[in-house]
Amino acid sequence: MALKYFPLLILVLALATSKRTLAGDPDILYDFIVPQNNTTVDGTFFTYTGLRGVFNGVPETFKVTKASLTEFPALDGQSVSYAVLQFPANGGLNPPHTHPRSAELLFLVAGSLEVGFVDTKNVLYTQKLQVGDLFVFPKGLVHYQYNTQPNMPSFAVSAFGSANAGTVSVPLSVFATGIDDEILAKSFKTDIDTIKKIKVGLTSK
């Protein structure tokens, strides 16, 4: 009688002892991680100055300035990073994209923004943000930000629950990675010439 439950017992034990698949940052066993080539650890190691002056000008096109693991090695293992987003007036756009390893918490510090994301049921959630508003984009979901104000730039600060949240641009990942034109034409229910025009438009800017 007990033998018929043996396969179930093996499955339970295997699940209990297997390593979890991590979609975010792993926990660390130390207070912080120091790169191997770093010989001195003081307050400077924990300071990042790359965002100084970032609000002093307005770029001609959308611009993102990151403070992630690549720019700020002290973030390794800390599961946090930032980005400053600058949107010029009248059409400044952060095109649809995803962050596969983190949610994004956006804080609007100047101007206004139209933001939105699409869930796994293809439901679109949008909101018009004013200064002081926060908006969360759930981890891995396609989202965007857009400045529709004709004469006012917008600035936002985004926080991420990962030192390396990653960014996957939807337009570029679909049209600029070598996916066959015929596959794209069938997927978007259009013709190959239209796909080629889209590709030229993306790669020429």
Side-chain angles (χ1 to χ4, degrees):
M1 183 74 173
L3 286 177
K4 74 175 186 178
Y5 295 108
F6 186 71
L8 179 61
L9 176 63
I10 295 297
L11 176 63
V12 170
L13 289 175
L15 291 174
T17 58
S18 64
K19 292 179 71 174
R20 288 188 304 138
T21 301
L22 297 174
D25 295 358
D27 288 334
I28 60 175
L29 302 176
Y30 310 96
D31 293 336
F32 49 86
I33 298 174
V34 180
Q36 291 183 351
N37 61 351
N38 193 314
T39 57
T40 304
V41 177
D42 56 18
T44 303
F45 174 71
F46 301 99
T47 304
Y48 181 66
T49 60
L51 298 179
R52 289 181 181 176
V54 74
F55 295 112
N56 291 345
V58 179
E60 293 183 6
T61 60
F62 168 75
K63 181 180 179 183
V64 58
T65 306
K66 297 180 180 180
S68 63
L69 180 59
T70 301
E71 299 80 20
F72 191 9
L75 296 182
D76 193 6
Q78 301 305 320
S79 299
V80 66
S81 59
Y82 274 102
V84 174
L85 311 178
Q86 298 170 277
F87 302 83
N90 198 26
L93 171 68
N94 188 3
H97 62 283
T98 69
H99 302 294
R101 293 181 288 274
S102 175
E104 175 182 356
L105 183 61
L106 181 142
F107 175 52
L108 187 62
V109 296
S112 64
L113 283 177
E114 178 184 317
V115 301
F117 71 87
V118 179
D119 71 7
T120 56
K121 297 178 181 177
N122 288 326
V123 177
L124 173 64
Y125 300 86
T126 63
Q127 185 66 32
K128 187 84 169 190
L129 302 182
Q130 303 299 323
V131 172
D133 290 348
L134 289 166
F135 192 88
V136 63
F137 302 98
K139 185 195 308 190
L141 298 185
V142 173
H143 61 281
Y144 66 89
Q145 301 103 20
Y146 185 48
N147 181 12
T148 60
Q149 292 292 325
N151 301 309
M152 183 183 300
S154 298
F155 298 88
V157 176
S158 285
F160 301 91
S162 169
N164 183 20
T167 301
V168 180
S169 167
V170 173
L172 293 179
S173 65
V174 172
F175 293 102
T177 54
I179 298 175
D180 187 84
D181 290 349
E182 184 176 353
I183 293 172
L184 291 175
K186 288 183 176 181
S187 298
F188 287 93
K189 295 181 174 25
T190 187
D191 55 81
I192 290 177
D193 286 341
T194 300
I195 296 299
K196 288 181 177 179
K197 288 178 182 177
I198 294 173
K199 286 186 172 182
V200 169
L202 284 173
T203 57
S204 64
K205 295 180 181 179

